[in-house]
Amino acid sequence: MGEGLPIQRADVFHAINRLRKLKMNKRALEVMEWVIREKPYRPKELDYSYLLEFTTKLHGVSQGEILFTRVPSEFQNDLLYNNLVMACLDKGKISLSLAYMKKMRELGQPISPLVFNRLIILHSSPGRRKTIPKILFQMKADKVLPHVSTYNILLKMEADQHSIDGLVKVFGEMKRANVEPNEITYCILATAHAVARLYAVCEVYVEAIEKSKTGNNWSTLDVLLILYGYLGKEKELERIFVAVKELPHIKYKSYLLAIEAFGRLGKVDRAEELWIEMKSNRILKSPEQYNSIISVYCRHGLIDKATELFNEMKRNEIKPNAITFRHLALGFLKAEMVGKALKTLNMGMDQITSTTVKKSTPWLEATLLMVESFADRGDLENAKKLFAELKEAGYSKYTFVYNALLKAYVKAKVYDPDLLKEMILGGARPDSETYSLFKLSEQFQV
């Protein structure tokens, strides 16, 4: 405009999309109000749709409803209705959104699969998940074909619940519906199998990611950094990190993932190189940045290096969080400093920790490594205490997690006749190692 050039619809479209990504809703609304007021081109349904979206985000659903009635009737179509429903869902007004969906059916307006996606996400908590089959049934009744994103949401829910059986079931339904998986689908499948230590299956899905990835998508590259760390493929890990560094802007999160991946491979020197590189390019402000390299040191028992960084954090006035203390506790255990490990573990438990953190893979894996360390020492009491956390997060559905607890029973020379039944009822499948450990513990029957 400053150069006297005409404003095209595409200019506004790109500007709005960028403002949305930056969460600059107020600025986006100002742009759309200007478009409607000044009319640099004839506004259409997409323009009114944007206006409705940002009005609702800033001023609430009631203002969005008023605006909807003022939009010229020719543009009160399915796009605007779907946006109004989405706006209601964004504000958590489920009953109101269902009422508008009912009105859309009466008017013969098609409902977008994105609306059903949002409904599924809103009902994804354990207490509300039983509603999801009803949402999917309604989707079918409305003749709305599930989008690939719908299945990705359902797959991610199963992965978060550590349910490989559920994951496989949803993926089977996806194939029967002839919905083509995309790179996000394969990322979810590969990561879930990696966390479950099913590396052969994971590798198949990693190959699918490599074939399906479109351009240099930074989020897919980040997932590949994680996966090649799990698979122990140093050459491929280096290749992906080179691709990440060729992007116009490298996010510090990519550095953290690469540091942790090389640490998982046992390449501590390489992890240190990346840490120094990141440190020289950025001002370190968050505990997550320190946690990445601390986790590497602690995994390998290099507690002196880890505590040195911990002290550096304090000097730089960066407050350690619960996962910092958990990694350090593991490091002390690996270094045979059990007293300090227990003290550090208790310090971490005094921190406020969100459910999201407690269910995150770094937290769960660090906790499992501690269970294994306590098991090796025959410290059943502390092993059981930490196992309870893993059970609460659903991580105990994996057989190897229960096997770690069984080792603690064997080392402590304790027999629990109900443990095998408890394991099966908890969703874990006993394997040959399970039965061998249980057989060993039987000799300690009183």
Side-chain angles (χ1 to χ4, degrees):
M1 282 178 66
E3 293 170 6
L5 298 170
I7 301 299
Q8 304 295 332
R9 194 183 303 275
D11 300 321
V12 172
F13 173 80
H14 289 299
I16 290 297
N17 275 338
R18 289 188 182 191
L19 290 168
R20 185 192 283 120
K21 282 179 183 176
L22 294 167
K23 294 184 168 50
M24 293 176 68
N25 297 328
K26 186 180 178 184
R27 192 65 169 153
L29 179 59
E30 287 171 356
V31 171
M32 291 320 303
E33 285 174 339
W34 174 84
V35 168
I36 302 301
R37 185 177 64 250
E38 300 297 330
K39 294 184 174 54
Y41 52 80
R42 186 171 178 265
K44 290 189 177 180
E45 58 265 29
L46 186 62
D47 302 290
Y48 286 109
S49 173
Y50 285 149
L51 184 66
L52 175 67
E53 176 189 341
F54 295 107
T55 298
T56 310
K57 279 180 177 176
L58 279 164
H59 303 299
V61 172
S62 58
Q63 288 300 311
E65 289 178 296
I66 293 166
L67 174 64
F68 184 89
T69 60
R70 292 176 179 170
V71 171
S73 56
E74 62 182 299
F75 299 128
Q76 289 182 13
N77 56 15
D78 60 305
L79 179 63
L80 214 65
Y81 266 106
N82 276 301
N83 256 28
L84 183 58
V85 173
M86 290 288 276
C88 294
L89 291 172
D90 281 341
K91 297 290 183 181
K93 296 183 180 293
I94 295 174
S95 298
L96 186 59
S97 67
L98 294 174
Y100 276 116
M101 287 169 76
K102 184 180 177 183
K103 188 173 181 181
M104 287 177 74
R105 291 184 194 104
E106 291 167 359
L107 294 170
Q109 301 277 17
I111 300 171
S112 166
L114 299 180
V115 167
F116 287 98
N117 285 1
R118 195 63 59 90
L119 273 171
I120 291 167
I121 291 167
L122 286 171
H123 290 84
S124 61
S125 62
R128 304 176 80 176
R129 283 189 71 181
K130 59 181 180 291
T131 311
I132 291 174
K134 293 178 185 176
I135 296 169
L136 294 171
F137 181 79
Q138 185 60 57
M139 196 174 186
K140 192 174 181 181
D142 288 334
K143 296 179 181 176
V144 178
L145 295 173
H147 189 259
V148 63
S149 59
T150 311
Y151 284 106
N152 287 345
I153 292 164
L154 296 170
L155 286 167
K156 187 69 172 67
M157 283 169 57
E158 297 296 340
D160 289 344
Q161 293 292 316
H162 304 290
S163 174
I164 294 296
D165 289 344
L167 193 80
V168 171
K169 185 184 174 187
V170 172
F171 189 52
E173 289 168 1
M174 184 179 184
K175 287 196 282 189
R176 284 192 292 278
N178 293 318
V179 175
E180 194 66 31
N182 60 13
E183 61 189 288
I184 297 169
T185 314
Y186 291 125
C187 283
I188 295 166
L189 289 163
T191 306
H193 283 87
V195 172
R197 296 188 182 179
L198 299 168
Y199 299 128
V201 181
C202 171
E203 199 161 348
V204 172
Y205 288 128
V206 167
E207 287 173 13
I209 296 170
E210 293 277 20
K211 287 176 186 173
S212 63
K213 74 176 190 286
T214 49
N216 285 324
N217 185 331
W218 66 265
S219 56
T220 300
L221 293 174
D222 276 357
V223 172
L224 286 170
L225 288 175
I226 298 167
L227 292 170
Y228 283 128
Y230 272 107
L231 294 173
K233 297 197 170 187
E234 185 183 357
K235 188 180 173 183
E236 298 304 322
L237 182 54
E238 287 284 8
R239 174 176 63 82
I240 295 299
F241 193 66
V242 167
V244 169
K245 290 184 78 173
E246 286 173 354
L247 296 175
H249 173 70
I250 178 167
K251 296 174 181 284
Y252 83 78
K253 187 188 172 187
S254 299
Y255 269 107
L256 307 188
L257 294 173
I259 288 164
E260 289 165 7
F262 279 109
R264 191 181 290 280
L265 286 174
K267 301 294 177 183
V268 178
D269 290 349
R270 184 69 179 116
E272 284 179 320
E273 284 174 17
L274 294 181
W275 163 254
I276 292 163
E277 189 178 311
M278 180 180 76
K279 203 175 174 183
S280 64
N281 294 335
R282 284 172 169 75
I283 297 168
L284 303 185
K285 295 179 180 178
S286 74
E288 287 77 21
Q289 291 167 313
Y290 278 91
N291 287 347
S292 63
I293 190 68
I294 286 173
S295 71
V296 173
Y297 288 145
C298 292
R299 180 184 281 266
H300 298 287
L302 302 169
I303 194 61
D304 289 342
K305 287 190 172 188
T307 49
E308 190 182 316
L309 278 174
F310 178 74
N311 292 329
E312 185 183 308
M313 282 177 78
K314 290 197 288 185
R315 284 196 302 273
N316 293 338
E317 297 182 348
I318 296 170
K319 192 179 178 183
N321 57 19
I323 201 160
T324 315
F325 288 109
R326 184 133 303 198
H327 286 312
L328 286 169
L330 172 63
F332 282 121
L333 264 184
K334 293 270 186 182
E336 306 291 335
M337 300 163 77
V338 180
K340 280 196 172 183
L342 291 172
K343 186 181 176 183
T344 307
L345 185 63
N346 289 330
M347 285 169 71
M349 285 177 173
D350 291 337
Q351 301 274 319
I352 296 167
T353 314
S354 68
T355 307
T356 306
V357 170
K358 286 186 175 180
K359 289 189 173 183
S360 68
T361 304
W363 178 276
L364 295 171
E365 289 187 345
T367 305
L368 176 61
L369 287 169
M370 291 187 73
V371 170
E372 290 172 341
S373 289
F374 283 126
D376 290 339
R377 289 170 175 77
D379 187 344
L380 183 59
E381 185 186 344
N382 282 309
K384 282 170 73 175
K385 196 186 291 183
L386 288 171
F387 178 82
E389 284 188 27
L390 301 177
K391 191 175 180 181
E392 192 179 341
Y395 195 60
S396 61
K397 288 177 186 174
Y398 301 131
T399 308
F400 57 84
V401 178
Y402 254 102
N403 286 351
L405 181 66
L406 270 166
K407 284 174 194 171
Y409 274 90
V410 172
K411 280 276 189 177
K413 298 182 179 180
V414 175
Y415 172 69
D416 183 349
D418 299 322
L419 200 57
L420 193 63
K421 188 166 92 173
E422 184 188 300
M423 177 181 180
I424 295 164
L425 290 173
R429 293 180 181 177
D431 59 10
S432 56
E433 186 183 11
T434 311
Y435 289 114
S436 297
L437 287 165
F438 197 73
K439 196 74 179 168
L440 281 170
S441 73
E442 283 180 345
Q443 64 184 300
F444 307 119
Q445 293 182 63
V446 178

